Amino acid sequence: MQELLLIPGLEDEQILAIINGRPYETVEELLDISGIDEPLLDSMRPWITVIPVEEEPEESEDTQEDEQEKRKEEQEKRREEKEKEKEKRQEEKEKRQEEKEKEQEKRREEKKKEKEKRQDKKEEKLDMNTASLQELLRIPGLDDEQIVAIVNGRPYQTVEEVLDMSGIEDESLLENLRKRITVIPVE
């Protein structure tokens, strides 16, 4: 509207009529407005131009329905993709959990085997005819003199010979030794 106010010779009623009459296809259509004649139009020509407005073709109902159907299909496709992604994440989570459980089970088995080995080692009786000084030193309750006496008294034929040779009189220590030692007779 401000541009129209700058055109010499136009009055407010004519400006409003030009605005209300839009759109125009040609400048000559302005002659249909009351108060605009050929001489006024000629004086306005340097200031005005008409650019025809291209009308957008109206969509038919079929086209609108096709668009709606297309949007629904796209929404369904996105929903399916999200669902697949969700399932994939769930599968990955379950797989990680399964791997974690397998790893935990593996560690439990390893600990169990290690414990069994230690238990077997504890239960493994020492042969008094072949046991090293280091092995004899690990037997609780034996002092150095008793260990030396056991080593010097070799070879033995029975566990009782070892116990007699050791000089141990404490019954609980003798019982503990019976559980820990054996004698494989030397031929």
Side-chain angles (χ1 to χ4, degrees), residues 35-187:
I36 297 180
D37 56 12
E38 278 292 333
L40 181 56
L41 184 59
D42 286 340
S43 70
M44 291 172 40
R45 285 188 191 274
W47 302 94
I48 61 172
T49 185
V50 172
I51 301 172
V53 177
E54 292 184 26
E55 292 183 25
E56 293 183 23
E58 288 187 27
E59 293 183 356
S60 67
E61 283 187 32
D62 290 341
T63 306
Q64 290 174 352
E65 288 174 5
D66 290 345
E67 285 296 318
Q68 287 177 342
E69 186 64 31
K70 191 175 182 180
R71 281 193 292 271
K72 284 181 183 178
E73 288 173 3
E74 288 173 358
Q75 287 174 345
E76 182 64 23
K77 185 178 178 182
R78 283 192 299 271
R79 189 191 65 72
E80 288 173 359
E81 287 173 354
K82 284 181 181 180
E83 190 64 34
K84 285 180 183 179
E85 186 63 31
K86 184 178 177 182
E87 288 174 6
K88 184 179 176 183
R89 285 192 306 268
Q90 182 64 29
E91 287 172 4
E92 289 172 353
K93 182 179 177 182
E94 289 171 0
K95 184 178 178 182
R96 285 191 305 272
Q97 182 65 28
E98 188 177 311
E99 288 172 356
K100 183 179 177 182
E101 289 171 1
K102 284 181 182 179
E103 186 62 32
Q104 288 173 340
E105 182 62 29
K106 182 180 175 183
R107 278 192 239 125
R108 280 193 292 271
E109 286 296 318
E110 288 173 354
K111 284 181 180 180
K112 184 179 176 184
K113 286 179 184 179
E114 187 62 34
K115 186 177 180 181
E116 288 172 357
K117 280 183 184 179
R118 286 194 307 266
Q119 188 64 30
D120 288 346
K121 217 171 194 178
K122 281 183 182 178
E123 293 174 4
E124 193 176 291
K125 293 184 176 187
L126 286 176
D127 178 10
M128 291 294 103
N129 285 326
T130 60
S132 69
L133 283 175
Q134 293 298 325
E135 291 171 320
L136 291 171
L137 286 169
R138 283 190 228 128
I139 298 175
L142 289 181
D143 61 30
D144 292 346
E145 287 179 24
Q146 293 165 332
I147 291 172
V148 170
I150 290 171
V151 171
N152 289 338
R154 291 178 178 167
Y156 300 103
Q157 296 299 316
T158 68
V159 170
E160 292 307 315
E161 283 180 36
V162 176
L163 296 177
D164 291 342
M165 178 59 76
S166 68
I168 299 171
E169 296 177 8
D170 182 345
E171 279 302 316
S172 64
L173 182 55
L174 287 172
E175 195 57 40
N176 184 32
L177 279 175
R178 280 189 185 91
K179 292 177 186 176
R180 294 176 176 262
I181 64 172
T182 189
V183 171
I184 300 174
V186 178
E187 295 178 14

